[in-house]
Amino acid sequence: MIGPRVFRSLSWGYHEPGGHVLWWLVRPSMHLHIVGELAFEQMDEAELAVALATQDAALGIGGSLEVSRVDYTVGTPDIVTNVKHKKPGFRGETIGDRLLKVGVPVIPADDDVLNGWKRCLSLFGHDEQAVPWLTIHPRCSVLIEAIPAGLQDVAKQPDDFKGPAPPLLAFRYGAMSRPSPRVQADVVVIPPGSPADIMQKMRLQRMGRRFGVAR
């Protein structure tokens, strides 16, 4: 059975203009609904983790929204160290490391500008029944105001925005994460003493012998 899922997209920023987080609901039909947002500034990682958890509860995640948890958080790639661009030596602690310590693992976003903005643009289209692929809850006023206010960088890169605002970056990161509905598999209960139960115990025993686990 396919069910809805929720994920977050994060544009990190400490100083002005700060950062932004969007909560995306992915419906089984593949239609997207941005259900919430959080604009933040001068928050450390622990404070942001508390703010995210508070917003999760306010949005009904694990309750009225009928989604038990946030599936993942995709965010600004630079907060997660890219070892390819680092010189050999010690690796310092990153913002991503500290967010992980306070319970917010962040997946580095695909920062492809050309394909990213095109993907965002395509979300404003409609399906064959004229249903919008993307809707945004009215409570997300900062994002709603940022979308028409974005300016095309005509001089340097026509397919990019000129200094895109944090909500737009969070929007692009979320759109490029290829959101899809959750596939919910039915839980299979193996009756004790059944052939399947015996086979499972035999496999565990073999694994124990292989890895030196006491039996």
Side-chain angles (χ1 to χ4, degrees):
M1 182 175 64
I2 297 178
R5 69 191 302 191
V6 168
F7 72 95
R8 308 187 196 103
S9 58
L10 160 69
S11 172
W12 172 267
Y14 185 80
H15 297 288
E16 188 180 0
H20 208 83
V21 185
L22 299 176
W23 277 257
W24 302 65
L25 174 68
V26 189
R27 303 186 189 280
S29 62
M30 287 300 300
H31 294 81
L32 302 172
H33 182 50
I34 299 179
V35 295
E37 68 175 356
L38 172 68
F40 64 95
E41 186 178 340
Q42 296 189 5
M43 273 191 181
D44 64 23
E45 293 81 359
E47 291 171 331
L48 179 59
V50 171
L52 294 178
T54 301
Q55 182 73 315
D56 287 349
L59 293 173
I61 296 171
S64 60
L65 198 59
E66 298 182 356
V67 176
S68 61
R69 60 181 174 83
V70 174
D71 266 22
Y72 62 87
T73 301
V74 62
T76 306
D78 287 348
I79 70 173
V80 183
T81 298
N82 185 343
V83 294
K84 293 181 180 179
H85 297 157
K86 295 286 183 180
K87 295 180 180 180
F90 290 107
R91 176 185 176 277
E93 187 180 44
T94 66
I95 297 167
D97 291 334
R98 294 191 289 273
L99 284 170
L100 179 60
K101 287 181 179 179
V102 292
V104 185
V106 177
I107 302 170
D110 184 343
D111 203 17
D112 186 329
V113 171
L114 180 64
N115 291 296
W117 293 129
K118 180 59 178 68
R119 169 66 177 152
C120 291
L121 184 62
S122 68
L123 292 181
F124 291 106
H126 299 76
D127 65 12
E128 295 176 353
Q129 285 74 43
V131 177
W133 285 113
L134 172 73
T135 51
I136 304 174
H137 195 284
R139 69 166 67 95
C140 304
S141 58
V142 181
L143 173 64
I144 292 171
E145 292 174 3
I147 290 173
L151 297 177
Q152 181 185 18
D153 192 353
V154 178
K156 295 182 178 179
Q157 176 53 270
D159 289 312
D160 195 3
F161 283 94
K162 184 180 296 184
L168 294 180
L169 289 175
F171 183 50
R172 192 180 78 204
Y173 294 156
M176 282 295 280
S177 70
R178 297 194 178 192
S180 61
R182 178 200 301 276
V183 177
Q184 298 176 334
D186 295 333
V187 177
V188 178
V189 178
I190 300 177
S194 66
D197 182 46
I198 295 171
M199 291 296 295
Q200 184 180 56
K201 290 178 179 177
M202 290 175 62
R203 283 195 296 270
L204 291 174
Q205 287 178 346
R206 287 197 296 269
M207 291 176 63
R209 287 193 292 270
R210 179 180 177 186
F211 296 107
V213 178
R215 300 185 296 281

